[in-house]
Amino acid sequence: MIPEYLDPKFIPKHIACVMDGNGRWAEKRGLKRTDGHTAGEKSLFDVVEGAIEIGVEWFTVFAFSTENWKRPAKEVQFLLDFNEQIIIQRQEELNERNVRICFLGRRDSKVPKRILKRMKDAEDLTESNTGLTFTVAFNYGGRAEIVDAVQKVIDSGVKRVTEKTIERNLYNPAMPDPDLVIRTSGESRVSNFLLWELAYSELVFSNTLWPDFSRKDLFKAIKEFQDRDRRFGGLGES
């Protein structure tokens, strides 16, 4: 059910989220950083349920960036294993909810083959679903995506490059630009996330650490989105 304070005619079609603050949440409690990621999984799927509940069509999360390889080896290994387990444990549940799962990012030799297979299996399992499209940005970087798109354009021999040419060569050309991008934990930057796609996205920065973020916080961010005047470079309604 859509909360009464939200306009059901103005629900964002695509919401993207930088799930920040897992490590700090754990450190505040004297726990290991990895415990924060585990706690963050519960928040993620509560928020996904909230998105389904109000009719969001696309929901994209930043799960593992191209820069995350620079983290300590133990944490990198944990994140790889953790993301693999999420795929295994949640794909059936999401499939039953008519959710389509997609992955966004480089599928190169850095990513273990078993995880690449898990990703493809999840996509194949859910490809015919017609509800929410849940996109996981994994081994993803906004600059890397643009570089890879430009390289594909060069390789194709196209002589005249336009915005449409670039868009057709992004990781998922069918994915609409996000209407709303949420970042948690009080950080106010985009951190190389969807650099091409968020050109006209509304940005909402929440002080809440990700493991404490819930669907209620999602709805609050949507309310802020609905209260804004989106002008797309023009003068807006006013």
mmCIF file of all heavy atoms in Angstrom, residues 95-130:
data_model
loop_
_atom_site.group_PDB
_atom_site.id
_atom_site.type_symbol
_atom_site.label_atom_id
_atom_site.label_comp_id
_atom_site.label_asym_id
_atom_site.label_seq_id
_atom_site.Cartn_x
_atom_site.Cartn_y
_atom_site.Cartn_z
ATOM 1 N N ASN A 95 12.241 -14.313 -7.535
ATOM 2 C CA ASN A 95 11.534 -14.883 -8.681
ATOM 3 C C ASN A 95 10.060 -15.079 -8.355
ATOM 4 O O ASN A 95 9.186 -14.794 -9.183
ATOM 5 C CB ASN A 95 12.183 -16.211 -9.077
ATOM 6 C CG ASN A 95 11.598 -16.785 -10.341
ATOM 7 O OD1 ASN A 95 11.411 -16.079 -11.330
ATOM 8 N ND2 ASN A 95 11.311 -18.074 -10.335
ATOM 9 N N GLU A 96 9.782 -15.557 -7.156
ATOM 10 C CA GLU A 96 8.388 -15.754 -6.738
ATOM 11 C C GLU A 96 7.628 -14.423 -6.658
ATOM 12 O O GLU A 96 6.403 -14.398 -6.817
ATOM 13 C CB GLU A 96 8.348 -16.456 -5.387
ATOM 14 C CG GLU A 96 8.775 -17.920 -5.449
ATOM 15 C CD GLU A 96 8.864 -18.563 -4.075
ATOM 16 O OE1 GLU A 96 8.528 -17.873 -3.087
ATOM 17 O OE2 GLU A 96 9.252 -19.744 -3.997
ATOM 18 N N ARG A 97 8.369 -13.328 -6.421
ATOM 19 C CA ARG A 97 7.748 -12.005 -6.365
ATOM 20 C C ARG A 97 7.669 -11.345 -7.743
ATOM 21 O O ARG A 97 7.349 -10.160 -7.838
ATOM 22 C CB ARG A 97 8.528 -11.094 -5.407
ATOM 23 C CG ARG A 97 8.552 -11.531 -3.944
ATOM 24 C CD ARG A 97 7.159 -11.595 -3.339
ATOM 25 N NE ARG A 97 6.384 -10.395 -3.567
ATOM 26 C CZ ARG A 97 6.437 -9.316 -2.799
ATOM 27 N NH1 ARG A 97 7.218 -9.290 -1.742
ATOM 28 N NH2 ARG A 97 5.700 -8.260 -3.074
ATOM 29 N N ASN A 98 7.976 -12.100 -8.795
ATOM 30 C CA ASN A 98 7.917 -11.595 -10.170
ATOM 31 C C ASN A 98 8.971 -10.514 -10.427
ATOM 32 O O ASN A 98 8.782 -9.633 -11.262
ATOM 33 C CB ASN A 98 6.508 -11.053 -10.490
ATOM 34 C CG ASN A 98 6.268 -10.877 -11.981
ATOM 35 O OD1 ASN A 98 6.816 -11.616 -12.803
ATOM 36 N ND2 ASN A 98 5.459 -9.887 -12.342
ATOM 37 N N VAL A 99 10.075 -10.593 -9.692
ATOM 38 C CA VAL A 99 11.167 -9.633 -9.848
ATOM 39 C C VAL A 99 12.160 -10.145 -10.894
ATOM 40 O O VAL A 99 12.532 -11.322 -10.883
ATOM 41 C CB VAL A 99 11.899 -9.405 -8.506
ATOM 42 C CG1 VAL A 99 13.158 -8.555 -8.692
ATOM 43 C CG2 VAL A 99 10.960 -8.743 -7.509
ATOM 44 N N ARG A 100 12.578 -9.249 -11.772
ATOM 45 C CA ARG A 100 13.613 -9.592 -12.751
ATOM 46 C C ARG A 100 14.956 -9.105 -12.215
ATOM 47 O O ARG A 100 15.095 -7.946 -11.810
ATOM 48 C CB ARG A 100 13.311 -8.925 -14.094
ATOM 49 C CG ARG A 100 14.300 -9.260 -15.208
ATOM 50 C CD ARG A 100 13.734 -8.875 -16.559
ATOM 51 N NE ARG A 100 13.524 -7.448 -16.658
ATOM 52 C CZ ARG A 100 14.267 -6.619 -17.426
ATOM 53 N NH1 ARG A 100 15.258 -7.094 -18.139
ATOM 54 N NH2 ARG A 100 13.983 -5.342 -17.476
ATOM 55 N N ILE A 101 15.947 -9.977 -12.184
ATOM 56 C CA ILE A 101 17.275 -9.642 -11.667
ATOM 57 C C ILE A 101 18.220 -9.369 -12.827
ATOM 58 O O ILE A 101 18.290 -10.135 -13.787
ATOM 59 C CB ILE A 101 17.838 -10.795 -10.809
ATOM 60 C CG1 ILE A 101 16.896 -11.117 -9.637
ATOM 61 C CG2 ILE A 101 19.231 -10.450 -10.290
ATOM 62 C CD1 ILE A 101 17.281 -12.373 -8.871
ATOM 63 N N CYS A 102 18.944 -8.246 -12.732
ATOM 64 C CA CYS A 102 19.957 -7.900 -13.728
ATOM 65 C C CYS A 102 21.243 -7.493 -13.005
ATOM 66 O O CYS A 102 21.204 -7.046 -11.855
ATOM 67 C CB CYS A 102 19.497 -6.734 -14.610
ATOM 68 S SG CYS A 102 18.064 -7.087 -15.643
ATOM 69 N N PHE A 103 22.348 -7.631 -13.697
ATOM 70 C CA PHE A 103 23.636 -7.196 -13.157
ATOM 71 C C PHE A 103 24.268 -6.197 -14.109
ATOM 72 O O PHE A 103 24.158 -6.324 -15.337
ATOM 73 C CB PHE A 103 24.567 -8.400 -12.937
ATOM 74 C CG PHE A 103 24.107 -9.295 -11.822
ATOM 75 C CD1 PHE A 103 23.245 -10.347 -12.080
ATOM 76 C CD2 PHE A 103 24.514 -9.062 -10.515
ATOM 77 C CE1 PHE A 103 22.795 -11.164 -11.061
ATOM 78 C CE2 PHE A 103 24.070 -9.869 -9.482
ATOM 79 C CZ PHE A 103 23.208 -10.930 -9.752
ATOM 80 N N LEU A 104 24.927 -5.217 -13.519
ATOM 81 C CA LEU A 104 25.520 -4.117 -14.269
ATOM 82 C C LEU A 104 26.993 -4.035 -13.900
ATOM 83 O O LEU A 104 27.325 -3.936 -12.719
ATOM 84 C CB LEU A 104 24.802 -2.816 -13.867
ATOM 85 C CG LEU A 104 24.805 -1.634 -14.815
ATOM 86 C CD1 LEU A 104 24.000 -1.949 -16.065
ATOM 87 C CD2 LEU A 104 24.207 -0.411 -14.103
ATOM 88 N N GLY A 105 27.884 -4.080 -14.871
ATOM 89 C CA GLY A 105 29.303 -3.964 -14.559
ATOM 90 C C GLY A 105 30.161 -4.812 -15.472
ATOM 91 O O GLY A 105 29.663 -5.502 -16.374
ATOM 92 N N ARG A 106 31.454 -4.758 -15.242
ATOM 93 C CA ARG A 106 32.398 -5.533 -16.040
ATOM 94 C C ARG A 106 32.379 -7.000 -15.615
ATOM 95 O O ARG A 106 32.548 -7.305 -14.439
ATOM 96 C CB ARG A 106 33.810 -4.972 -15.875
ATOM 97 C CG ARG A 106 34.050 -3.680 -16.627
ATOM 98 C CD ARG A 106 35.460 -3.160 -16.429
ATOM 99 N NE ARG A 106 35.756 -2.069 -17.357
ATOM 100 C CZ ARG A 106 36.819 -1.273 -17.273
ATOM 101 N NH1 ARG A 106 37.697 -1.463 -16.299
ATOM 102 N NH2 ARG A 106 37.003 -0.310 -18.160
ATOM 103 N N ARG A 107 32.212 -7.878 -16.563
ATOM 104 C CA ARG A 107 32.260 -9.314 -16.272
ATOM 105 C C ARG A 107 33.599 -9.818 -16.798
ATOM 106 O O ARG A 107 33.670 -10.493 -17.821
ATOM 107 C CB ARG A 107 31.081 -10.033 -16.913
ATOM 108 C CG ARG A 107 29.741 -9.443 -16.446
ATOM 109 C CD ARG A 107 28.569 -10.321 -16.776
ATOM 110 N NE ARG A 107 27.324 -9.632 -16.461
ATOM 111 C CZ ARG A 107 26.132 -10.203 -16.411
ATOM 112 N NH1 ARG A 107 26.018 -11.501 -16.660
ATOM 113 N NH2 ARG A 107 25.048 -9.505 -16.136
ATOM 114 N N ASP A 108 34.646 -9.441 -16.094
ATOM 115 C CA ASP A 108 35.999 -9.751 -16.552
ATOM 116 C C ASP A 108 36.664 -10.775 -15.644
ATOM 117 O O ASP A 108 36.038 -11.352 -14.750
ATOM 118 C CB ASP A 108 36.840 -8.472 -16.662
ATOM 119 C CG ASP A 108 36.898 -7.686 -15.351
ATOM 120 O OD1 ASP A 108 36.679 -8.292 -14.271
ATOM 121 O OD2 ASP A 108 37.183 -6.474 -15.389
ATOM 122 N N SER A 109 37.959 -10.981 -15.867
ATOM 123 C CA SER A 109 38.691 -12.038 -15.163
ATOM 124 C C SER A 109 38.867 -11.755 -13.677
ATOM 125 O O SER A 109 39.224 -12.663 -12.924
ATOM 126 C CB SER A 109 40.063 -12.236 -15.812
ATOM 127 O OG SER A 109 40.812 -11.030 -15.781
ATOM 128 N N LYS A 110 38.612 -10.531 -13.234
ATOM 129 C CA LYS A 110 38.712 -10.241 -11.807
ATOM 130 C C LYS A 110 37.618 -10.955 -11.015
ATOM 131 O O LYS A 110 37.799 -11.290 -9.847
ATOM 132 C CB LYS A 110 38.625 -8.727 -11.558
ATOM 133 C CG LYS A 110 39.897 -7.954 -11.840
ATOM 134 C CD LYS A 110 39.759 -6.524 -11.357
ATOM 135 C CE LYS A 110 41.076 -5.773 -11.476
ATOM 136 N NZ LYS A 110 40.966 -4.386 -10.972
ATOM 137 N N VAL A 111 36.480 -11.129 -11.644
ATOM 138 C CA VAL A 111 35.344 -11.751 -10.963
ATOM 139 C C VAL A 111 35.452 -13.270 -11.099
ATOM 140 O O VAL A 111 35.562 -13.782 -12.205
ATOM 141 C CB VAL A 111 34.009 -11.274 -11.563
ATOM 142 C CG1 VAL A 111 32.839 -11.878 -10.792
ATOM 143 C CG2 VAL A 111 33.924 -9.753 -11.566
ATOM 144 N N PRO A 112 35.441 -13.992 -9.984
ATOM 145 C CA PRO A 112 35.523 -15.462 -10.057
ATOM 146 C C PRO A 112 34.457 -16.044 -10.972
ATOM 147 O O PRO A 112 33.303 -15.591 -10.984
ATOM 148 C CB PRO A 112 35.316 -15.900 -8.604
ATOM 149 C CG PRO A 112 35.775 -14.735 -7.786
ATOM 150 C CD PRO A 112 35.390 -13.519 -8.582
ATOM 151 N N LYS A 113 34.843 -17.081 -11.725
ATOM 152 C CA LYS A 113 33.924 -17.687 -12.690
ATOM 153 C C LYS A 113 32.654 -18.204 -12.038
ATOM 154 O O LYS A 113 31.575 -18.155 -12.634
ATOM 155 C CB LYS A 113 34.632 -18.822 -13.436
ATOM 156 C CG LYS A 113 35.695 -18.338 -14.410
ATOM 157 C CD LYS A 113 36.320 -19.508 -15.158
ATOM 158 C CE LYS A 113 37.382 -19.026 -16.144
ATOM 159 N NZ LYS A 113 38.020 -20.170 -16.871
ATOM 160 N N ARG A 114 32.765 -18.706 -10.800
ATOM 161 C CA ARG A 114 31.576 -19.268 -10.153
ATOM 162 C C ARG A 114 30.545 -18.164 -9.892
ATOM 163 O O ARG A 114 29.331 -18.407 -9.968
ATOM 164 C CB ARG A 114 31.959 -19.955 -8.848
ATOM 165 C CG ARG A 114 32.370 -19.034 -7.731
ATOM 166 C CD ARG A 114 32.664 -19.744 -6.426
ATOM 167 N NE ARG A 114 32.758 -18.803 -5.329
ATOM 168 C CZ ARG A 114 33.824 -18.055 -5.057
ATOM 169 N NH1 ARG A 114 34.903 -18.139 -5.822
ATOM 170 N NH2 ARG A 114 33.803 -17.214 -4.039
ATOM 171 N N ILE A 115 31.035 -16.928 -9.586
ATOM 172 C CA ILE A 115 30.113 -15.827 -9.340
ATOM 173 C C ILE A 115 29.481 -15.369 -10.652
ATOM 174 O O ILE A 115 28.282 -15.073 -10.705
ATOM 175 C CB ILE A 115 30.826 -14.663 -8.621
ATOM 176 C CG1 ILE A 115 31.281 -15.120 -7.233
ATOM 177 C CG2 ILE A 115 29.903 -13.452 -8.509
ATOM 178 C CD1 ILE A 115 31.994 -14.057 -6.422
ATOM 179 N N LEU A 116 30.271 -15.324 -11.714
ATOM 180 C CA LEU A 116 29.722 -14.979 -13.020
ATOM 181 C C LEU A 116 28.608 -15.953 -13.406
ATOM 182 O O LEU A 116 27.584 -15.554 -13.962
ATOM 183 C CB LEU A 116 30.823 -14.988 -14.078
ATOM 184 C CG LEU A 116 31.884 -13.883 -13.964
ATOM 185 C CD1 LEU A 116 32.985 -14.101 -14.991
ATOM 186 C CD2 LEU A 116 31.263 -12.501 -14.134
ATOM 187 N N LYS A 117 28.821 -17.228 -13.092
ATOM 188 C CA LYS A 117 27.789 -18.229 -13.397
ATOM 189 C C LYS A 117 26.545 -18.006 -12.549
ATOM 190 O O LYS A 117 25.412 -18.113 -13.038
ATOM 191 C CB LYS A 117 28.325 -19.642 -13.166
ATOM 192 C CG LYS A 117 27.335 -20.729 -13.574
ATOM 193 C CD LYS A 117 27.888 -22.127 -13.364
ATOM 194 C CE LYS A 117 26.918 -23.192 -13.904
ATOM 195 N NZ LYS A 117 25.572 -23.088 -13.335
ATOM 196 N N ARG A 118 26.741 -17.688 -11.256
ATOM 197 C CA ARG A 118 25.592 -17.407 -10.381
ATOM 198 C C ARG A 118 24.785 -16.231 -10.934
ATOM 199 O O ARG A 118 23.545 -16.242 -10.926
ATOM 200 C CB ARG A 118 26.064 -17.067 -8.973
ATOM 201 C CG ARG A 118 26.846 -18.150 -8.257
ATOM 202 C CD ARG A 118 25.984 -19.286 -7.807
ATOM 203 N NE ARG A 118 26.731 -20.169 -6.916
ATOM 204 C CZ ARG A 118 26.349 -21.401 -6.591
ATOM 205 N NH1 ARG A 118 25.241 -21.896 -7.088
ATOM 206 N NH2 ARG A 118 27.079 -22.139 -5.772
ATOM 207 N N MET A 119 25.498 -15.216 -11.398
ATOM 208 C CA MET A 119 24.840 -14.028 -11.940
ATOM 209 C C MET A 119 23.999 -14.396 -13.161
ATOM 210 O O MET A 119 22.835 -14.001 -13.274
ATOM 211 C CB MET A 119 25.888 -12.971 -12.279
ATOM 212 C CG MET A 119 26.578 -12.376 -11.063
ATOM 213 S SD MET A 119 28.143 -11.541 -11.419
ATOM 214 C CE MET A 119 27.643 -10.262 -12.550
ATOM 215 N N LYS A 120 24.591 -15.140 -14.073
ATOM 216 C CA LYS A 120 23.863 -15.521 -15.286
ATOM 217 C C LYS A 120 22.674 -16.408 -14.955
ATOM 218 O O LYS A 120 21.586 -16.254 -15.536
ATOM 219 C CB LYS A 120 24.788 -16.238 -16.268
ATOM 220 C CG LYS A 120 24.123 -16.548 -17.613
ATOM 221 C CD LYS A 120 25.065 -17.184 -18.584
ATOM 222 C CE LYS A 120 24.404 -17.346 -19.959
ATOM 223 N NZ LYS A 120 23.115 -18.056 -19.909
ATOM 224 N N ASP A 121 22.854 -17.334 -14.013
ATOM 225 C CA ASP A 121 21.754 -18.220 -13.622
ATOM 226 C C ASP A 121 20.576 -17.408 -13.067
ATOM 227 O O ASP A 121 19.417 -17.716 -13.362
ATOM 228 C CB ASP A 121 22.229 -19.236 -12.581
ATOM 229 C CG ASP A 121 23.151 -20.298 -13.169
ATOM 230 O OD1 ASP A 121 23.225 -20.408 -14.406
ATOM 231 O OD2 ASP A 121 23.810 -21.006 -12.380
ATOM 232 N N ALA A 122 20.884 -16.402 -12.242
ATOM 233 C CA ALA A 122 19.827 -15.568 -11.654
ATOM 234 C C ALA A 122 19.112 -14.767 -12.736
ATOM 235 O O ALA A 122 17.875 -14.621 -12.713
ATOM 236 C CB ALA A 122 20.418 -14.636 -10.600
ATOM 237 N N GLU A 123 19.872 -14.247 -13.679
ATOM 238 C CA GLU A 123 19.263 -13.499 -14.783
ATOM 239 C C GLU A 123 18.392 -14.405 -15.643
ATOM 240 O O GLU A 123 17.277 -14.029 -16.029
ATOM 241 C CB GLU A 123 20.353 -12.843 -15.633
ATOM 242 C CG GLU A 123 21.046 -11.680 -14.932
ATOM 243 C CD GLU A 123 22.154 -11.059 -15.754
ATOM 244 O OE1 GLU A 123 22.819 -11.792 -16.524
ATOM 245 O OE2 GLU A 123 22.363 -9.833 -15.622
ATOM 246 N N ASP A 124 18.897 -15.607 -15.939
ATOM 247 C CA ASP A 124 18.128 -16.550 -16.763
ATOM 248 C C ASP A 124 16.847 -16.987 -16.056
ATOM 249 O O ASP A 124 15.783 -17.109 -16.689
ATOM 250 C CB ASP A 124 18.975 -17.782 -17.087
ATOM 251 C CG ASP A 124 20.110 -17.483 -18.062
ATOM 252 O OD1 ASP A 124 20.095 -16.397 -18.680
ATOM 253 O OD2 ASP A 124 21.019 -18.327 -18.181
ATOM 254 N N LEU A 125 16.942 -17.221 -14.749
ATOM 255 C CA LEU A 125 15.785 -17.669 -13.976
ATOM 256 C C LEU A 125 14.662 -16.636 -14.012
ATOM 257 O O LEU A 125 13.481 -17.001 -14.065
ATOM 258 C CB LEU A 125 16.196 -17.931 -12.523
ATOM 259 C CG LEU A 125 15.080 -18.263 -11.529
ATOM 260 C CD1 LEU A 125 14.479 -19.628 -11.850
ATOM 261 C CD2 LEU A 125 15.615 -18.233 -10.097
ATOM 262 N N THR A 126 15.014 -15.363 -13.973
ATOM 263 C CA THR A 126 14.019 -14.299 -13.781
ATOM 264 C C THR A 126 13.753 -13.459 -15.024
ATOM 265 O O THR A 126 13.002 -12.480 -14.961
ATOM 266 C CB THR A 126 14.466 -13.360 -12.644
ATOM 267 O OG1 THR A 126 15.704 -12.713 -13.018
ATOM 268 C CG2 THR A 126 14.675 -14.123 -11.342
ATOM 269 N N GLU A 127 14.342 -13.826 -16.153
ATOM 270 C CA GLU A 127 14.293 -12.945 -17.327
ATOM 271 C C GLU A 127 12.890 -12.689 -17.845
ATOM 272 O O GLU A 127 12.626 -11.652 -18.470
ATOM 273 C CB GLU A 127 15.176 -13.502 -18.449
ATOM 274 C CG GLU A 127 14.705 -14.817 -19.030
ATOM 275 C CD GLU A 127 15.597 -15.315 -20.146
ATOM 276 O OE1 GLU A 127 16.448 -14.513 -20.612
ATOM 277 O OE2 GLU A 127 15.473 -16.487 -20.557
ATOM 278 N N SER A 128 11.961 -13.603 -17.588
ATOM 279 C CA SER A 128 10.597 -13.431 -18.100
ATOM 280 C C SER A 128 9.684 -12.697 -17.122
ATOM 281 O O SER A 128 8.513 -12.442 -17.434
ATOM 282 C CB SER A 128 9.986 -14.800 -18.435
ATOM 283 O OG SER A 128 10.744 -15.454 -19.443
ATOM 284 N N ASN A 129 10.194 -12.366 -15.942
ATOM 285 C CA ASN A 129 9.359 -11.699 -14.945
ATOM 286 C C ASN A 129 9.030 -10.272 -15.375
ATOM 287 O O ASN A 129 9.818 -9.619 -16.060
ATOM 288 C CB ASN A 129 10.052 -11.718 -13.581
ATOM 289 C CG ASN A 129 10.116 -13.115 -12.993
ATOM 290 O OD1 ASN A 129 9.396 -14.012 -13.429
ATOM 291 N ND2 ASN A 129 10.985 -13.316 -12.016
ATOM 292 N N THR A 130 7.886 -9.798 -14.929
ATOM 293 C CA THR A 130 7.380 -8.512 -15.410
ATOM 294 C C THR A 130 7.191 -7.471 -14.313
ATOM 295 O O THR A 130 6.646 -6.403 -14.563
ATOM 296 C CB THR A 130 6.030 -8.729 -16.117
ATOM 297 O OG1 THR A 130 5.114 -9.365 -15.201
ATOM 298 C CG2 THR A 130 6.198 -9.593 -17.346
#
